[in-house]
Each structure stands twice: as C-alpha cells, then as structure tokens.
Amino acid sequence: MKPERGSYAIDGRDGRIGQVMGEEGSYVQLRPPGGGVEWDCPPEALSPAPPGAVLRARVTELNRERRLP
C-alpha cells in the first residue's frame, strides 16, 4: 500500500493508527492522532484505516486543538 500524505493508515505490526506524514527512504512515516513522535513503517505492513478509526482520530485531533491556548 502506498498511502497519500494526510490519510490515515494502520500499522499492521502493532495495530496503531497514524496519519501519513511522508516517506523516509523505503519507509512511510506515521504520526499518532493528535500529535506525538512519528514512527517509520514498511509500506507492506500498512492497511487503510477504516472510517470509524479515521473519525476517532480526527475527533482526537480536534479535541487536542481546542485545548491549546
């Protein structure tokens, strides 16, 4: 899977959902919903995030943004 930047994907190695931030070498970089440290994932371990998981991720991001001054 070669996901688009800004989309959400699931790291099949551990089940984490992340927003696609870009690529580093042969890896895809993912960031946790709401921010945090990015991690690298091989593209073959990625799968598209289901709509419900994407919705939860977006709500997490919105809640984080509302808490910032």
Side-chain angles (χ1 to χ4, degrees):
M1 172 186 174
K2 190 85 166 194
E4 286 186 37
R5 180 177 281 185
S7 66
Y8 289 88
I10 295 180
D11 184 339
R13 300 172 300 173
D14 58 13
R16 290 184 290 174
I17 185 171
Q19 185 176 23
V20 177
M21 303 306 293
E23 296 177 24
E24 182 67 37
S26 62
Y27 290 91
V28 175
Q29 292 183 314
L30 300 172
R31 184 187 73 189
V37 178
E38 294 178 6
W39 77 94
D40 295 334
C41 182
E44 62 272 8
L46 291 175
S47 61
V54 173
L55 179 60
R56 282 189 299 276
R58 289 184 176 160
V59 167
T60 299
E61 285 185 57
L62 288 171
N63 286 336
R64 179 181 167 270
E65 289 173 7
R66 292 184 71 178
R67 283 185 230 139
L68 296 176

